[in-house]
Amino acid sequence: MNGVETVIEEDVRQLLSEYKSCSSSVYTLVVRCLSRSTDARSLFDSVNSDRAADVNELCARFLAGMLDLSKPVVAVVYHRHSWSQIGEESLRSMRLAGIEVLPIFWADGPKAPASFIPVNKAILKHCGFIQLCVGTNLPRWLSLGEDGFPEIPVLNIDRTARTFFDPENSSQRHKLPLMVKWGKYVVSPVKIPETRSRKFELTEIKIPEDLLRGRKVCYVLPLVPNKLTRMRRLSKSRPDRDRNVILVCPSISNLPQYFLKENGREIVEGLIQRFPDHTVVLRPRPEDRTNREIEELQSRYSCTGRFSLDLSDDYVETYSRGCVLITDRSSTGQTFALGTGRPSISYPFGGGFDGIGIEALRDVGCFRVNSVEELLAAVERLLVEAAGVEEMIDGVFSSLYSGHRSFDDAFLEYTFAALRNDVHGDWYEITIPPENIAPSTLLGYEESIESVLSAGWVNSDIYALDIAGRYLDMLKTQNRPAPEWLLEKMARIYSDAFSRDHSTFSVIGRPIKLALHNYECGFWTERVKAAFGVCCEAVARRGYAPVVDELRAVAAGRPHAMQILSDQLGRYGLIEEEGL
């Protein structure tokens, strides 16, 4: 119980038994609150002095009871994909500055370190004492408030270290989630506009009024990504002998360029044999930590003493020890180069996209090869040229982040400005003019979706999906089919995005579900069939089993749709013997 008296543990179980639907996460929340309290007995007794209306209010009381509410309260939300952008140092600096930090994670999501407390929407609804939430990819109900949930000011830290918000670029995809998903304050590096203006209007697309929920303005806070600052500080302080790790960091396993399945053993064995003074560290994506090829490589090479698996959520320490990073098409190679000054090598299996999106880094700090032998030769060459490569990468870093303050220097200053509801002079103000707010009608949603697709902003499951999903709900409510022209455009663009990106069924599923809705409405025209077929062909060509299974499940019970799916799967040899 981490110092909590046994009598308290017994009392907690008895107390929670009085409330219905108490999950294990509720018990964990109460125990962790008591564990952090300087006087667990007093906290327990004060919370239990009168009966709470329900278990969610009870949980909120425990959260409030362990905090000093005379200080500003900031909730920091854990996310395993992006904890390196925040890190424990940020929590310590906030506490030293007089902020009461409440570390939380979503109870129904991935687990977090023991210092974080599980919460959910129903609990946070009672947490009016929270003045600001800090995190990454925070949900709409938190950042905008919906379904009776009050809006809490959110400071959303962009999880990537490679994407720059470009206020003057009309095809800048980051503009849509600014308004309809992310919080009022967004931390992101910025491509400094030539005009030097700090006020811009979002004029390229239209957004339905109900999605905005009254928001007309948000602010971009230009900071050097914290993971880069932390990485550079650590790596630059290490002597060369302590930067002897060759990192192997594949992208997600359902991408065509994923190289571990076909070349994993050849790459790892080649590195171990050819570079005896170095250690090989394999760092898979969190989704792939238990994949068969990862487990096989661990089993085969861990006995060498020069191979290990890194499963940490915060990879700053691991990257800081690297001398070179190898990937297939993950843009983490750019993060490594900018953060350490050491090179990365991309070997996209089968060719295609290599993940090098910052052209200033191409052939300077990030290099592409097309075979395993080229890869090993490039590692050998770059280890010899390390000093010269580091100097060139540092020059690119200085150019990219000119005009930005570091996270260490400005994050607290910006946090206090947000707590005061001030607008800092460093920030970029983004507003949406009235003429770009679409009515919350079917026609308004169609106009909005068309504007987003025409702007070319659909690239992964974060863009436009809230709009498309809500549009489908409206169609179902009114029992109306989607227009053929919209289905055709969505099928073409979403299929292309699915074919080349980190895409799950949530992307390709949007036009598929719209087409199947038309099937249910009796509007199964030749154009609708063709649009559905385009999506089925993209899924079959990719051949990723979980997505194929999801498509089978949503199409089940519709013979004509299943026939189209069967034809496409058959073209790519994906028909099971027992049939569909």
Side-chain angles (χ1 to χ4, degrees), residues 29-47:
L29 179 150
V30 174
V31 168
R32 290 188 181 179
C33 288
L34 291 169
S35 299
R36 288 185 50 174
S37 174
T38 55
D39 188 341
R41 168 53 65 185
S42 294
L43 172 57
F44 181 85
D45 290 342
S46 64
V47 167

Side-chain angles (χ1 to χ4, degrees), residues 311-325:
L311 304 180
S312 60
D313 287 342
D314 186 350
Y315 52 80
V316 166
E317 169 70 24
T318 302
Y319 276 26
S320 73
R321 294 186 288 112
C323 55
V324 65
L325 182 146

